[in-house]
Amino acid sequence: IIIIGLALVLRFAYLLLLHPPLTWADASMYDMTAWNLVNGDGYVLTPGDNVWAGREPGYVLFFLTPIYLLFGHSILVAQIFQIFLSIGAIFLIYLIGKKFLNQQIGLISAAILAVWPADIAYGLEILTETPFTFLLVLGFFLLLTALNNKSYKLIFAGGLILGMATLTRFITFFLPIFFLPTFYCLFRSYKKSLKYAALLFLGILILTAPWFVRNYIQFNTFVFGRLGGGAIYWSGSYIPWDGDWKGYQASPMKEILANIGNQDPVEHDRVFINETKKNIKENPLGVAKIWLKKPFKIFLSGAASGQVGHSGTIAKITTNNFFAKLLVYGGITILHRFLLAFSLFGLLWLFLIKERLIKYTVLTLIIYFVIMYLPMNMDPRYQIPLIPFLIILGSTGIWSIVRI
């Protein structure tokens, strides 16, 4: 109760005192499409536009649209709702730690997530990070419970929740395939492992199939996830950019866009995918080199420092004082590095005590996300959904050191 109370105070203080603005381009896209849907204009970016698939619809369908239907076009209500989603993730992390490790680890995990800067900062943005993380943690909790209780019903329920997560961010679509070896390590049965993976994938497919069908009908071609991802993969493989995102106005991105012109979004993606293949074909070792650097970039960066600076909130906190900025950024970075160190120690501890369920499942999840991120441009936001799982490992490390 104390931890949840502290989490609420910190998040409402951040909201009411600092008033984080809508500064991300993605935020306005989610906001506009939700409001257009409420007004009966369909899932489009601008009323009267043709059908749109520039972002996955889960955030709009499951979160923003119901909020706008009930409370009107209120960003504040959406932000308050996301605060409670963040609290839900904290409670779920506590349950995971308590049920599958011990209560002390559960409490440590909840306490760390309650004060974690990135969780506070991103929780107030109209972005997919907070709802996606909540759905991912909830689906993972059901997955663990299903494996622990050997329940096919619960694994299917977990698949449905992960289906909602996938419709919010399509990165989790192939997760059941990666869990196959994990299931076999736990059960030593090919038949049972295939059943669990199939039920998990079925839950995801039930939620995502209508989106596939809708896009095929509208665009007369198969669209995986969303349109517009081609530029992300191109920037992630363009060697002079070193796997980072430089923007649409940077060369040669702007020249490629100028050559594409006003072609339809499907053709737009095809051009960038072909350019991505060209980058890989011309210098496969160079592309592989920048891909291998991305996990270090993602995990060694403090996501909240980038967010606080981007939104202008850092100026409100530090009054543009250089040393105050250095203190905030440095504090966030040091905190993040400590978490990574304790996470590695916690993982080692789980291997030493031969704990199988948390060790295999959390490790599989982290490896899966890292692999899926490799072709994309690097963004510190990518670590946000993994923070709760790193915190579980970090809390295990802290607990084991205290015991010693």
Side-chain angles (χ1 to χ4, degrees), residues 333-377:
T333 301
I334 291 170
L335 190 65
H336 189 74
R337 300 292 171 85
F338 267 113
L339 175 63
L340 292 178
F342 282 118
S343 297
L344 290 173
F345 195 89
L347 187 62
L348 176 62
W349 178 267
L350 292 176
F351 272 97
L352 290 175
I353 66 172
K354 299 181 180 179
E355 196 292 327
R356 301 169 70 231
L357 186 58
I358 289 290
K359 174 179 66 182
Y360 288 142
T361 52
V362 171
L363 195 56
T364 299
L365 189 71
I366 293 173
I367 291 173
Y368 171 79
F369 270 83
V370 168
I371 291 173
M372 298 303 289
Y373 285 148
L374 291 181
M376 304 180 190
N377 62 274

Side-chain angles (χ1 to χ4, degrees), residues 64-349:
L64 287 184
T65 300
I67 291 169
Y68 290 171
L69 278 170
L70 291 172
F71 301 100
H73 195 183
S74 174
I75 299 297
L76 178 62
V77 173
Q79 290 173 316
I80 291 172
F81 180 78
Q82 289 190 178
I83 286 176
F84 286 100
L85 283 182
S86 178
I87 299 301
I90 292 169
F91 183 67
L92 286 168
I93 286 298
Y94 163 72
L95 290 180
I96 291 172
K98 177 185 176 182
K99 185 172 182 179
F100 302 103
L101 292 165
N102 61 54
Q103 188 173 20
Q104 288 76 22
I105 292 175
L107 287 169
I108 296 169
S109 299
I112 294 174
L113 189 56
V115 301
W116 197 254
D119 197 68
I120 297 170
Y122 280 93
L124 280 303
E125 291 285 339
I126 303 302
L127 296 170
T128 59
E129 270 69 28
T130 295
F132 177 75
T133 300
F134 171 77
L135 291 171
L136 183 64
V137 174
L138 177 57
F140 189 78
F141 173 71
L142 290 173
L143 169 69
L144 289 176
T145 307
L147 296 176
N148 191 57
N149 298 341
K150 298 180 175 55
S151 169
Y152 291 128
K153 290 181 180 179
L154 281 176
I155 199 73
F156 178 65
L160 291 174
I161 298 299
L162 289 175
M164 294 177 67
T166 303
L167 206 58
T168 303
R169 290 176 70 172
F170 244 77
I171 193 169
T172 49
F173 186 81
F174 298 107
L175 193 56
I177 298 173
F178 273 72
F179 266 114
L180 254 175
T182 303
F183 295 156
Y184 180 76
C185 288
L186 292 171
F187 298 118
R188 300 296 178 182
S189 167
Y190 289 113
K191 186 177 180 181
K192 185 175 286 188
S193 300
L194 285 170
K195 278 185 178 180
Y196 275 97
L199 286 170
L200 199 64
F201 184 69
L202 179 61
I204 292 175
L205 197 59
I206 287 173
L207 269 293
T208 55
W211 177 244
F212 286 132
V213 173
R214 176 259 195 190
N215 287 336
Y216 187 84
I217 293 171
Q218 296 294 339
F219 297 103
N220 198 32
T221 188
F222 176 76
V223 175
F224 179 75
R226 49 164 278 202
L227 294 172
I232 294 173
Y233 292 111
W234 175 84
S235 61
S237 66
Y238 184 59
I239 295 174
W241 284 15
D242 200 31
D244 297 327
W245 176 258
K246 302 296 185 181
Y248 289 107
Q249 297 304 313
S251 295
M253 171 72 80
K254 64 179 181 180
E255 287 79 13
I256 297 174
L257 290 172
N259 290 332
I260 293 174
N262 294 321
Q263 295 185 39
D264 67 87
V266 174
E267 186 60 30
H268 186 282
D269 260 8
R270 284 201 187 108
V271 170
F272 274 105
I273 292 298
N274 288 333
E275 289 293 324
T276 301
K277 293 177 181 177
K278 183 179 176 182
N279 290 340
I280 297 172
K281 185 177 180 180
E282 288 178 351
N283 193 345
L285 291 178
V287 173
K289 183 179 178 180
I290 63 173
W291 281 14
L292 291 175
K293 289 194 294 185
K294 290 177 189 177
F296 298 96
K297 288 184 176 182
I298 292 170
F299 286 107
L300 292 179
S301 64
S305 61
Q307 163 57 16
V308 172
H310 182 88
S311 68
T313 309
I314 188 72
K316 298 178 183 179
I317 296 173
T318 64
T319 321
N320 292 320
N321 183 287
F322 172 78
F323 293 104
K325 287 181 182 180
L326 187 64
L327 181 64
V328 172
Y329 283 116
I332 291 173
T333 301
I334 291 170
L335 190 65
H336 189 74
R337 300 292 171 85
F338 267 113
L339 175 63
L340 292 178
F342 282 118
S343 297
L344 290 173
F345 195 89
L347 187 62
L348 176 62
W349 178 267

Side-chain angles (χ1 to χ4, degrees), residues 22-32 64 125-127:
L22 297 180
T23 51
W24 297 88
D26 287 10
S28 61
M29 290 182 183
Y30 293 124
D31 175 57
M32 288 188 293
L64 287 184
E125 291 285 339
I126 303 302
L127 296 170

